[in-house]
Amino acid sequence: MDFVCFSGSTLPDGVKGVLVLVREGEAPAFPGCPAFASALASAETLKGKPKDRALGLSPEGLWVAMAGVGGASSVEVMTSVAEGLRSLAAKGCESVAVVSSFMDRERSVSVAEGAVLGLYRFDRYKAKDPDERFKLPSRVHVMAGDHQAMAEGAVLGAAQNYARDLANEPGNVITPSELARRALELAERCGCEARVLDEVQMREMGMNAILAVGAGSANPPRLIHLVRRVDSPKAKVALVGKGLTFDSGGLNIKPGDSMRTMKGDKSGACTVLGAFLAACELDLPVELHVVVAAVENMPDGGSYRPDDIIRTYSGKTVEVVNTDAEGRLTLADALHYACSQGVDHVLDVATLTGACVVALGENTAGLFTPDDLLSSQLEAAFRYCGERVWRLPIDDEQLKEELKSPVADMTNCGSRYGGAITAALFLKEFVSDSVKWAHLDIAGVDAVKKTRGVLVEGASGFGVRPLVRWVKGL
């Protein structure tokens, strides 16, 4: 999708549809046929409020979509562009224009993000419908847009779509070895270092928690490590993603309905890989590491069991209480490995607990960190990008008691109450005191059931753009 700037009162040749962004309290700014725009706005009582929408066909045969943007914040612009361009694409408009009275650099970024994210589709396994009218626009003309800013927005949107594509792939396609192969492909594309450890190498290093979770699968686990190095980095950051390519629950097998969406248990890994892609393409002055333990949790005669005791890569021992609390075990080894890379920040992203969904619902991720400054930085980045996080406590000594084991250093889970917090407390045990650490529990927000705004049914790619914004600001 190309983004092109234009100016003046004449629409570029070939444009089949126009999206008019209307700020609250302002008249539509529409070159070409202002009378039709005013009539359409009046007919639909469009006053520029954030949810105001209108669509009509002008006498000249031009599809005109109108979208209210309220005060025209970045999020309001991004949302309106996504929804407005979807309505034009549904009418078969292959070349479109976006017009407004308030375009600047910040909003130019948002226009490109909204277009790329809102027009996303995952349909590679569907037969082509000859009657399908939806056309992905090949070109988006933006009146008074900033071309460099739109290029940045397109990179950010494409990186989130990369994460969506990867997360939407089923478990029979994305196995641990295939996820590793795609990560290597990404590193080659970005000209970065890459290392993949197989099960033999992990056994030699003592990564027994990762190996235990993957022991019941015919697809052996992989430890993925990508590195982008720069001269005189402003910061050294490790992003750690949970990479369960499929999670059956192991011997504590999930009920059928709960297993239905478990191809998405790798969403944390997809997010950090997407953020890595954007950081490389935007040439951020940060040394960036991505660490993913890619594992499939399946039940067979070789599976790890409740009551097993595992000596992790850190040397700490864990008594297994439930084999469906597997993500935190893989992260235990991955986090310890990430901390050994000489970084100053470690942030992990994981679809970790159903308890987080119970606590916060399906629109908000849980944020855990003992560092107030890091928390405020991350909250600001997510807020700016229109994604919701809520900080939860990580200093609950009573809940920490639930992780005590009579036979090992700790258990791998506590009771169902406060489960998101006990999971975070477990992870904290494998993080070095010398790094600033945060944990994002994205269970519930990793996928959406209904298209709205920039979100399209399926994997969300949650966290890609905010993480890039946070890294950029370090």
Side-chain angles (χ1 to χ4, degrees):
M1 189 184 302
D2 293 330
F3 291 87
V4 181
C5 304
F6 77 98
S7 59
S9 59
T10 304
L11 292 173
D13 292 340
V15 167
K16 302 298 183 185
V18 180
L19 170 61
V20 183
L21 302 179
V22 185
R23 188 156 48 185
E24 193 165 3
E26 290 188 0
F30 183 30
C33 45
F36 177 75
S38 297
L40 180 61
S42 298
E44 299 293 336
T45 62
L46 192 143
K47 301 182 183 300
K49 294 182 179 180
K51 293 187 183 299
D52 284 356
R53 300 290 185 265
L55 178 67
L57 185 64
S58 78
E60 295 81 11
L62 185 72
W63 281 104
V64 179
M66 306 185 76
V69 295
S73 70
S74 293
V75 172
E76 289 168 329
V77 169
M78 184 171 56
T79 299
S80 297
V81 168
E83 294 182 350
L85 291 189
R86 264 202 307 272
S87 68
L88 293 176
K91 297 299 182 181
C93 300
E94 296 183 84
S95 181
V96 297
V98 178
V99 301
S100 75
S101 63
F102 46 79
M103 200 56 58
D104 57 14
R105 187 187 190 285
E106 181 180 292
R107 294 176 180 113
S108 293
V109 172
S110 297
V111 166
E113 287 179 307
V116 173
L117 293 171
L119 293 169
Y120 171 80
R121 280 189 156 194
F122 185 78
D123 56 6
R124 66 187 54 179
Y125 298 109
K126 295 183 71 173
K128 186 172 179 59
D129 182 356
D131 298 322
E132 174 65 83
R133 290 195 64 192
F134 187 98
K135 299 291 184 184
L136 182 67
S138 58
R139 179 161 291 180
V140 178
H141 303 266
V142 182
M143 187 173 74
D146 181 318
H147 187 267
Q148 185 176 1
M150 290 190 294
E152 179 181 331
V155 166
L156 292 166
Q160 186 164 340
N161 285 350
Y162 172 89
R164 286 166 154 179
D165 276 345
L166 205 51
N168 276 324
E169 290 281 9
N172 64 316
V173 173
I174 302 294
T175 60
S177 61
E178 177 60 16
L179 185 58
R181 189 193 69 78
R182 296 204 186 189
L184 290 173
E185 193 177 69
L186 176 62
E188 183 177 1
R189 169 180 170 182
C190 296
C192 296
E193 299 173 28
R195 182 188 188 194
V196 174
L197 304 180
D198 62 20
E199 65 273 30
V200 175
Q201 293 166 304
M202 283 190 281
R203 188 169 293 109
E204 290 172 351
M205 294 178 68
M207 294 183 173
N208 298 312
I210 295 172
L211 291 169
V213 174
S217 173
N219 297 303
R222 295 289 183 266
L223 191 283
I224 302 163
H225 180 199
L226 307 186
V227 191
R228 178 177 186 267
R229 301 191 192 277
V230 298
D231 295 332
S232 304
K234 289 174 59 179
K236 297 182 179 181
V237 179
L239 301 178
V240 180
K242 178 183 173 184
L244 265 291
T245 59
F246 189 81
D247 177 26
S248 70
L251 292 180
N252 291 113
I253 197 162
K254 295 176 184 289
D257 288 347
S258 299
M259 212 184 298
R260 176 68 173 78
T261 59
M262 284 300 105
K263 68 177 184 180
D265 214 15
K266 61 182 181 297
S267 293
C270 302
T271 289
V272 299
L273 289 169
F276 184 85
L277 170 60
C280 292
E281 295 199 343
L282 295 175
D283 197 24
L284 300 187
V286 174
E287 181 178 306
L288 185 60
H289 297 250
V290 161
V291 178
V292 171
V295 191
E296 189 175 70
N297 185 25
M298 299 289 279
D300 84 347
S303 296
Y304 79 123
R305 299 154 291 231
D307 295 339
D308 281 1
I309 297 175
I310 301 166
R311 185 171 298 279
T312 66
Y313 180 45
S314 71
K316 294 179 180 179
T317 57
V318 178
E319 179 189 10
V320 177
V321 175
N322 189 323
T323 63
D324 196 23
E326 83 303 323
R328 66 200 70 185
L329 287 171
T330 66
L331 288 169
D333 282 353
L335 282 168
H336 187 71
Y337 177 86
C339 289
S340 71
Q341 302 305 309
V343 296
D344 41 56
H345 291 79
V346 173
L347 190 147
D348 73 80
V349 186
T351 48
L352 204 61
T353 66
C356 195
V357 189
V358 172
L360 299 178
E362 296 182 323
N363 299 305
T364 306
L367 169 63
F368 300 83
T369 178
D371 189 297
D372 291 340
L373 176 59
L374 179 55
S375 177
S376 64
Q377 290 171 339
L378 287 167
E379 287 174 290
F382 275 85
R383 189 182 311 113
Y384 181 88
C385 294
E387 295 184 355
R388 292 172 55 91
V389 296
W390 190 265
R391 190 182 184 186
L392 292 169
I394 197 169
D395 57 355
D396 194 313
E397 291 299 320
Q398 292 303 312
L399 285 176
K400 191 174 180 180
E401 289 287 314
E402 294 188 9
L403 295 176
K404 286 189 173 180
S405 165
V407 293
D409 294 326
M410 68 195 83
T411 63
N412 72 324
C413 68
S415 73
R416 61 188 293 237
Y417 300 110
I421 298 173
T422 53
L425 288 167
F426 178 89
L427 296 182
K428 189 172 182 290
E429 292 296 313
F430 300 92
V431 177
S432 170
D433 292 335
S434 63
V435 303
K436 295 181 178 181
W437 165 72
H439 159 58
L440 278 171
D441 191 333
I442 63 168
V445 297
D446 64 304
V448 292
K449 298 171 183 174
K450 186 176 180 181
T451 297
R452 67 182 190 280
V454 298
L455 299 173
V456 177
E457 182 182 356
S460 67
F462 183 95
V464 172
R465 291 176 298 110
L467 290 183
V468 175
R469 185 171 180 83
W470 167 69
V471 168
K472 185 178 180 180
L474 289 175

